[in-house]
Amino acid sequence: MISLLQEAATTAAEHTESVASSVAHGETETTTGLPQLDLSTFANQIFWLVVAMVVLYWVVAKIALPRIGAVLSDRQGAMTGDLMAAEEFKLKAKEAEAAYDKALADARAEANKIVAANRAEIQKELDAAIAHADAEISARGAESEKRIREIRDSADVDAREVARDVAAELVRSFGGTVDQAAVDQAVDSRMKGALQ
Amino acid sequence: MATEAHGEATGLSFHPMDQFIVRPLFGDGPVHWYTPSNVTLWLFAIILATLALLVLGTRGRGIVPTRTQSIAELSYGLVHKMVGDIAGKDGLKYFPYIMTLFMFVLFANFLGLLPLAFTVTSHIAVTGVLALAVFLSVTAIGFIKNGAHFLDLFWVRSAPLAIRPVLAVIEVISYFVRPVSHSIRLAGNMIAGHAVIKVFAGFAAIAAVAPISIIAVVGMYAFEILVAFIQAYVFTILTCVYLKDALHPSH
């Protein structure tokens, strides 16, 4: 490659000889037009390039890249950690929601149970009260009926008494003798139809 | 290809190639191999720029990056992904070398765009050494990793047997042309862009043409910023492609 460049340099030099000879080149001793083809500076460029590349490689490979790589992996780690934590929190939130739902359902069931129990109790009391009232009512009714029957019976007896007395008096006042048995029989037979 | 052409009648003077001259940094003596030159100065400027971006910029080591740190992480990610995608997982072992190359070419191109700067990547001595280093190390890796199987790279098994020898010759030639194209592409782009800017700037001496000339320089400059990045990217991506060929030579 170097020989190729040299060849190019010499041909370039031939072509530009007339121009180059008329121009003073100052500090550079080149005879070619293109500074890139000035072989006298190659050693200098290559030497300093090698030095610079060694230093640059050291800077990049030993300081810069490990540091940037560490920063990037740290960030990746932090992001992964955060995402995992978020996932965990989400799971916890879900659990909490489920627990809340369950507590709510439990409370509702409990409330229903209490309501049902209360209702049953009240119903029982109510039934008892109604039964009691019914018993009372029927007892009172029976008593009233008994009283009515008594009254009716006594009225029957009274009426029979009055009728017997009245009949005896009527018989006496017409001058007859009172046959008590006949009177009783007559009264009884008349009363049979009237009462009852 | 004249370096300097004096238009004596118009007062125009073009020195588009003067910016590429290698000069001693101190005094006017000859340029020996050890002489600190403008090449030395700008090479170390590249190192300082890389230090500033990749080391100083990331000194916070923040989980939430600063602006400079995100640029450093971006360039890390760009090259890391490039190596992983092209050369494969086993190519990541060479990531630091490729990152060094990328940062070097990138900052050489960008710093070269500063006014009065010297562009080290505009010299085939520099790009040639870089390309040769890539070529030689990639070839060595190829033979060490694959032994004689590395030669499968030149023996295209997917082609009919009859034309394989022809293809092999072509493949071998193209293989050895790689460092040449690899280096000339970068240096050529840099030389051309910088020279064109200088030529446009030279026209600014004529008052009537000056506005057009300045607009042209601005446009070229913007274009050169693009080229500076693209050429660094291309140089790196080609290195990855060559590395891939060395690691997985079969077609």
Side-chain angles (χ1 to χ4, degrees), chain A residues 5 16 23 27-28 33 35-36 43-49 52-53 56-57 64-65 67 69 71-72 75, chain B residues 3-4 17 20-21 23 32-35 37 40 43 55 58-59 61-63 69 73 76 104 122-123 191:
Chain A
L5 288 174
T16 56
V23 173
E27 55 265 29
T28 58
Q36 276 82 357
N44 179 275
Q45 294 191 53
I46 291 167
F47 167 67
W48 286 113
L49 172 68
M53 284 307 278
L56 191 67
Y57 174 73
L65 295 190
R67 185 188 287 184
V71 167
L72 289 179
R75 180 174 311 144
Chain B
T3 323
E4 298 159 16
M17 295 300 164
F20 302 125
I21 294 171
R23 292 187 174 86
H32 297 295
W33 63 269
Y34 53 83
T35 314
S37 57
T40 320
L43 284 172
V55 177
T58 59
R59 70 188 182 283
R61 292 180 173 84
I63 291 281
Q69 192 186 323
E73 286 170 9
Y76 179 103
F104 178 82
S122 68
H123 275 262
I191 296 168

Side-chain angles (χ1 to χ4, degrees), chain B residues 135 138-139 142-143 147-161 163-178 242 245-246 248-251:
Chain B
F135 176 78
V138 156
T139 309
F143 276 113
H149 281 296
F150 180 56
L151 297 174
D152 285 354
L153 186 62
F154 309 113
W155 195 247
V156 189
R157 286 192 195 284
S158 52
L161 188 63
I163 62 167
R164 274 185 213 167
V166 184
L167 282 178
V169 172
I170 295 171
E171 289 283 336
V172 168
I173 292 171
S174 81
Y175 189 79
F176 282 99
V177 167
R178 276 177 178 183
Y242 299 159
D245 281 347
H248 316 283
S250 50
H251 277 273

Side-chain angles (χ1 to χ4, degrees), chain A residues 66-148:
Chain A
R67 185 188 287 184
I68 299 175
V71 167
L72 289 179
S73 68
D74 275 4
R75 180 174 311 144
Q76 198 60 43
M79 271 157 68
T80 317
D82 284 359
L83 283 178
M84 265 160 69
E87 196 65 32
E88 211 165 286
F89 283 135
K90 200 172 149 192
L91 223 69
K92 270 187 189 163
K94 242 177 209 161
E95 268 169 27
E97 200 190 343
Y100 166 77
D101 280 349
K102 193 174 171 300
L104 199 67
D106 282 358
R108 195 166 282 151
E110 188 74 13
N112 282 342
K113 210 185 283 172
I114 290 168
V115 165
N118 279 351
R119 184 174 290 152
E121 200 166 315
I122 289 167
Q123 192 66 43
K124 210 164 78 187
E125 275 174 22
L126 194 64
D127 285 353
I130 288 171
H132 184 72
D134 280 354
E136 192 98 340
I137 287 164
S138 60
R140 294 246 180 109
E143 194 158 325
S144 308
E145 233 163 75
K146 202 174 115 199
R147 289 270 311 275
I148 290 167

Side-chain angles (χ1 to χ4, degrees), chain A residues 14 30 40 43 52 63 83 97 99 126 151 154 184:
Chain A
E14 277 163 21
T30 174
S40 66
I63 307 174
L83 283 178
E97 200 190 343
L126 194 64
I151 292 168
S154 68
D184 281 357

